[in-house]
Amino acid sequence: MTLYAIFDPKPGKTDLPAAIPETFSWFAALLPPLFLLAHGLWLELVAWVLAVLALMVLSGFIGDDAAVLLYALGAAWLGFAAPGLRRHALAWRGWTHRGERVAVSTDMAQLEAIR
């Protein structure tokens, strides 16, 4: 079972509540730019691209192995930070945090939040 943070949409919208799992995100760790694009984290995407460009430039000074290791470390960090980034983005867009639910899946957490 997983802990989910439940967010209600802005007043006047008919969207379902969002359920953000509090777990490591493999999608964010393996495909960081696609994860950031999929969740509309534009500022974080710009920061990620700048960090990768900086690693490309610095790889000549620190070595290719160190650059790959730093990239993998950054990707793993993003996998752990993904739920917090998504929660912050929803709060910034006007969604309200209702609370937490423990559920088997995201769909079940949404269904429990609707009731």
Side-chain angles (χ1 to χ4, degrees), residues 58-110:
L58 288 175
S59 68
F61 299 105
I62 63 175
D64 292 338
D65 292 338
V68 169
L69 182 64
L70 286 173
Y71 179 85
L73 188 63
W77 170 83
L78 187 61
F80 284 110
L85 292 172
R86 289 183 61 197
R87 285 192 318 267
H88 184 272
L90 286 175
W92 192 71
R93 291 180 187 132
W95 290 58
T96 55
H97 181 255
R98 181 194 303 179
E100 287 79 26
R101 297 267 192 266
V102 176
V104 177
S105 67
T106 304
D107 293 335
M108 293 301 291
Q110 281 181 327

Side-chain angles (χ1 to χ4, degrees), residues 1-114:
M1 305 249 311
T2 305
L3 179 66
Y4 291 88
I6 306 297
F7 282 84
D8 289 327
K10 287 183 189 180
K13 285 200 168 191
T14 59
D15 294 338
L16 289 174
I20 310 296
E22 297 294 325
T23 60
F24 181 81
S25 174
W26 285 101
F27 179 40
L30 296 176
L31 299 169
L34 293 179
F35 169 79
L36 296 170
L37 278 173
H39 295 291
L41 301 169
W42 304 109
L43 189 58
E44 291 82 355
L45 178 63
V46 169
W48 183 262
V49 169
L50 290 176
V52 169
L53 289 174
L55 277 177
M56 288 172 56
V57 170
L58 288 175
S59 68
F61 299 105
I62 63 175
D64 292 338
D65 292 338
V68 169
L69 182 64
L70 286 173
Y71 179 85
L73 188 63
W77 170 83
L78 187 61
F80 284 110
L85 292 172
R86 289 183 61 197
R87 285 192 318 267
H88 184 272
L90 286 175
W92 192 71
R93 291 180 187 132
W95 290 58
T96 55
H97 181 255
R98 181 194 303 179
E100 287 79 26
R101 297 267 192 266
V102 176
V104 177
S105 67
T106 304
D107 293 335
M108 293 301 291
Q110 281 181 327
L111 283 174
E112 288 180 16
I114 290 173

